[in-house]
Amino acid sequence: MRLEPIPAPGPARRFGLPALALAATAALGSLLALIAGAEPFGVLGLIAKGAFGSKFALLETLNRATPLIFTGLAVAVAFRARLWNIGAEAQLYAGALMAVLIGAGTPALSGPLLLPFMALAAMLAGALLLLGPALLKTRLGVDEVVTTLLLNFIMLLFVSMLLEGPLKDPLGMGWPKSEALAREARLPRIVEGLRLHWGFGLALIAALLVWLLQSRTTLGFEMRAVGENPAAARYAGMPVERTIALTALLSGGLAALAGFSEVSGLKGNLTLDLSPGFGYAGVIVAMLALLHPLGVVLSALFVAGVFVGADSMSRAAGVPTYIADILLAAALLFMSLAILLTRFRVARD
Amino acid sequence: MEILDILLSATFWAAAVRIATPLIFATMGELICERAGVLNLGIEGIMAMGAFTGWITVYAGADLWVGVGAAMLSGMLFGLLHGVLTAPFGLSQHVVGLGITLLASAVAAFAYRVSLPEVTNPPKIEPFQPVAPALADFPILGPALFAQTPLTWAAFAVAGLTAFVLWRTPLGLAVRAAGESPEAVAAQGLSVNGLRIGAVMVGSGLMAVGGAFLTLSAFSSFFFEMVNGRGWVCIALVVFGAWRPGKALLGALLFAAFDALQVRLQQTPMGADIPYEIFLMAPYALSILALVVMSRRAAAPAALMIPWRKGER
């Protein structure tokens, strides 16, 4: 077989194929439900209901989507420049660590500057954590996929070390957790009485800013150009290495905001289970959004919905929650193929 | 000199060879994929899948070797998916690989929960036994060679076989050419994408056997997260070994020796003062360091990560 480009794909192809990918994902979900001994269509309904069916469910989904928007943006920004940052998990924890270092107990700084300072410090930590692998890539040709992946493990052990050592809450009954953040180090709720914190607002603003950066600025253009064709970008006189370094700083900073927002907005302290893989899920979020920053918001809501919905479905129907991970990984693969086939048709040799 | 004591102890060398075993299988698997031009980031998930499939097959009453075969088959299935999506369709190998890792780990976890819904303590199976315990009393070499299970011996055989097939047979030449200059392969009338799919399937099968070693030989139970980054380490080992089976084998043994050493150093008086996390970080940090040191000398296959489309270039 070979792939033939389609000069002007019609709307049936452009919208039909992605819809088909989602339908295939849903069909797989029904099959899995059947295997687990549950009623196949009821399970999909329960997932949807558990994600968006009530005010409580919707707020839970928005809360879960918040870190995913940040990590999704981080991955989207990096992948656009073909910087394969798979280390959003580590950068998230770097951000969370800074939030706790500055805001836990009795912060040295107080007043309205505390929260912005925490956010900036978090971004800086995440940015520097990714700058290392990016420089190793541009200077020495070390593959960043492996270095960023391995850093995830190192970072988690580092956090564990701090939580059992200097950062350990003396009143934590032996649990490895940090002291709680001071009251003024907590992100306030958007609407009083509704369980949704400003981290979500910050995530929306971040998506908007990244979109403006990518579509309206020279740097954004350079990031895209470097991703599409580094040789051509270099030939056109663009500072390729500097662009990759700046991309790394932005991407790492965005992922770190996920950690800041989870600690400061939701949890109020740092534990080792702060992130159930938000960094890795960011790859799915970014790819389902076709790396578009505004699309990341929608796809983060979708991914968060599947996770939250599967949790609630699992309690009702007894199908293991891992169904969510299978569905999302399958959606990623189906959607990648569908998007390819909107531009190419399969022909026989 | 605690380090010297450790290095001279027989159990240390036995542990090093044992720890190296899953890495050897999976590193050879990854090497075969990359030699054909496909980076297989599905490795971490495929190892988890192999660990689960091997374990559940034996738990259901099958022979241990049937378990190994089932694990290999499960790996090849995910390899087929990876190969088809990345070779003829030419999708991003990064995206597909990570997708496969997420998919395979999730399928393993889902299947475990579905088959054993009520279990809190992971049930055990009767694992592989040492090949020749009678000979294991030999000083140093005895435990390192004879206290090992047959899978460890199989791992060394696989490394030798990988080297032989890739460098001494026409098939191996074709596979390597698919990763170096696919146009030459196509000019010979061979199918580049067919070779790539085949290589990814075989490679993924080996990764799954590496995973199966964990449940059928090392731990005798299946845990979530039991692969714990070993797959990513193997990707680093392929680079460290400059895409050559012999050097990659050496790298895996070195890495495993270091890992065995850090476990033992934790238990020394000096190690007791240092947080244990530092020791656990060391192997990952070492992998990064090895990549940095080797990256300048290592020449990756020329067509690695470049999809082949007939008529282009």
Side-chain angles (χ1 to χ4, degrees):
Chain A
M1 62 164 268
R2 88 202 130 84
L3 297 174
E4 268 178 5
I6 304 169
R13 223 176 197 351
R14 280 190 310 156
F15 299 105
L17 280 168
L20 199 64
L22 285 182
T25 310
L28 178 69
S30 304
L31 181 72
L32 291 171
L34 205 62
I35 292 171
E39 205 272 302
F41 297 104
V43 163
L44 290 181
L46 283 175
I47 293 181
K49 196 163 149 250
F52 304 106
S54 64
K55 197 173 96 175
F56 176 80
L58 191 64
L59 283 172
E60 192 59 31
T61 300
L62 292 179
N63 268 318
R64 195 77 68 96
T66 302
L68 290 173
I69 296 175
F70 284 121
T71 56
L73 286 173
V75 173
V77 162
F79 279 23
R80 181 66 85 194
R82 292 232 195 139
L83 174 71
W84 303 104
N85 173 18
I86 328 286
E89 192 78 5
Q91 294 136 27
L92 179 152
Y93 274 102
L97 212 50
M98 291 312 270
V100 168
L101 279 173
I102 297 168
T106 325
L109 189 78
S110 65
L113 283 179
L114 177 62
L115 275 169
F117 180 62
M118 281 162 66
L120 283 176
M123 284 188 82
L124 188 66
L128 291 178
L129 193 60
L130 185 54
L131 186 64
L135 289 180
L136 285 177
K137 171 196 169 87
T138 53
R139 297 280 165 86
L140 298 172
V142 180
D143 184 42
E144 75 277 23
V145 174
V146 190
T147 48
T148 53
L149 273 168
L150 290 171
L151 276 173
N152 290 339
F153 292 85
I154 296 181
M155 190 66 192
L156 207 59
L157 286 164
F158 182 64
V159 171
S160 159
M161 185 174 94
L162 292 183
L163 289 183
E164 287 175 3
L167 283 185
K168 185 171 183 167
D169 181 2
L171 304 175
M173 317 280 271
W175 283 102
K177 62 176 188 132
S178 77
E179 268 187 87
L181 290 193
R183 204 185 150 73
E184 49 186 3
R186 297 292 305 265
L187 278 166
R189 292 186 170 180
I190 298 178
V191 179
E192 205 46 57
L194 275 189
R195 195 172 164 270
L196 184 67
H197 57 86
W198 262 105
F200 182 70
L202 198 61
L204 295 184
I205 295 168
L208 197 65
L209 288 179
V210 169
W211 176 66
L212 286 175
L213 172 89
Q214 285 193 335
S215 57
R216 301 286 147 86
T217 67
T218 320
L219 178 63
F221 174 73
E222 284 174 346
M223 285 172 172
R224 264 214 314 274
V226 165
E228 270 156 27
N229 192 338
R234 198 182 306 269
Y235 186 73
M238 288 181 198
V240 173
E241 266 131 54
R242 203 188 61 141
T243 307
I244 292 179
L246 288 173
T247 305
L249 292 176
L250 179 61
S251 172
L254 284 165
L257 281 179
F260 160 72
S261 137
E262 283 298 278
V263 165
S264 176
L266 200 63
K267 299 286 174 68
N269 65 4
L270 176 57
T271 52
L272 269 179
D273 58 1
L274 178 75
S275 162
F278 288 135
Y280 300 100
V283 176
I284 297 180
V285 170
M287 292 310 299
L288 288 181
L290 306 180
L291 306 185
H292 192 292
L294 299 181
V296 161
V297 175
L298 285 179
S299 88
L301 285 172
F302 171 72
V303 170
V306 173
F307 278 128
V308 171
D311 279 350
S312 122
M313 176 279 300
S314 182
R315 285 190 294 273
V319 176
T321 51
Y322 293 101
I323 192 175
D325 303 81
I326 299 185
L327 291 182
L328 291 171
L332 169 70
L333 295 175
F334 288 149
M335 197 57 94
S336 304
L337 189 61
I339 298 298
L340 176 86
L341 292 179
T342 56
R343 290 178 294 119
F344 295 91
R345 80 163 61 83
V346 177
R348 292 188 64 89
D349 279 328
Chain B
M1 278 314 286
E2 284 136 355
I3 294 189
L4 207 63
D5 285 345
I6 292 171
L7 288 179
L8 286 175
S9 76
T11 53
F12 164 74
W13 291 103
V17 174
R18 191 172 60 240
I19 294 170
T21 305
L23 303 177
I24 295 172
F25 278 119
T27 304
M28 292 306 143
E30 182 68 36
L31 189 144
I32 293 171
C33 298
E34 293 193 19
R35 271 290 173 184
V38 181
L39 171 75
N40 190 346
L41 292 182
I43 184 167
E44 182 86 3
I46 291 171
M47 287 181 81
M49 191 63 207
F52 169 74
T53 311
W55 179 84
I56 194 85
T57 310
V58 175
Y59 183 71
D63 183 71
L64 283 164
W65 287 107
V66 176
V68 174
M72 180 148 191
L73 215 61
S74 72
M76 291 178 82
L77 221 57
F78 280 98
L80 177 66
L81 182 63
H82 190 296
V84 168
L85 290 177
T86 53
F89 285 110
L91 289 175
S92 157
Q93 297 180 5
H94 287 103
V95 172
V96 171
L98 290 169
I100 299 265
T101 277
L102 293 169
L103 184 67
S105 332
V107 167
F110 182 83
Y112 181 81
R113 274 277 174 264
V114 168
S115 23
L116 303 157
E118 304 296 339
V119 161
T120 43
N121 268 339
K124 284 182 184 299
I125 51 141
E126 195 57 50
F128 277 107
Q129 298 301 315
V131 224
L135 296 174
D137 293 335
F138 256 72
I140 299 204
L141 276 186
L145 291 179
F146 300 111
Q148 308 292 349
T149 66
L151 275 183
T152 299
W153 287 35
F156 283 90
V158 159
L161 200 65
T162 304
F164 177 79
V165 172
L166 280 180
W167 269 270
R168 295 275 181 275
T169 66
L171 175 67
L173 180 66
V175 167
R176 283 188 295 128
E180 291 289 349
S181 57
E183 55 283 350
V185 175
Q188 293 284 320
L190 295 171
S191 160
V192 174
N193 289 333
L195 283 165
R196 286 184 171 177
I197 293 174
V200 174
M201 284 179 74
V202 171
S204 302
L206 290 179
M207 294 167 189
V209 174
F213 172 86
L214 298 175
T215 47
L216 300 185
S217 198
F219 298 112
S220 68
S221 303
F222 175 78
F223 311 98
F224 302 136
E225 321 282 328
M226 78 185 304
V227 179
N228 201 15
R230 281 184 181 84
W232 311 133
V233 167
C234 290
I235 293 189
L237 284 173
V238 172
V239 181
F240 177 79
W243 288 269
R244 298 199 155 256
K247 286 185 187 168
L249 173 71
L250 202 69
L253 285 168
L254 264 176
F255 178 89
F258 185 78
D259 203 15
L261 181 67
Q262 63 87 5
V263 173
R264 280 157 182 75
L265 281 179
Q266 279 183 52
Q267 286 142 11
T268 62
M270 175 198 78
D273 295 336
I274 301 171
Y276 70 93
E277 287 95 347
I278 295 276
F279 290 102
L280 292 180
M281 274 180 213
Y284 301 115
L286 183 78
S287 300
I288 293 180
L289 192 72
L291 276 181
V292 173
V293 172
M294 297 306 287
S295 61
R296 261 182 283 191
R297 264 171 289 170
L304 183 61
M305 290 189 274
I306 301 171
W308 164 251
R309 294 210 175 109
K310 208 175 212 169
E312 280 181 20
R313 290 188 309 144

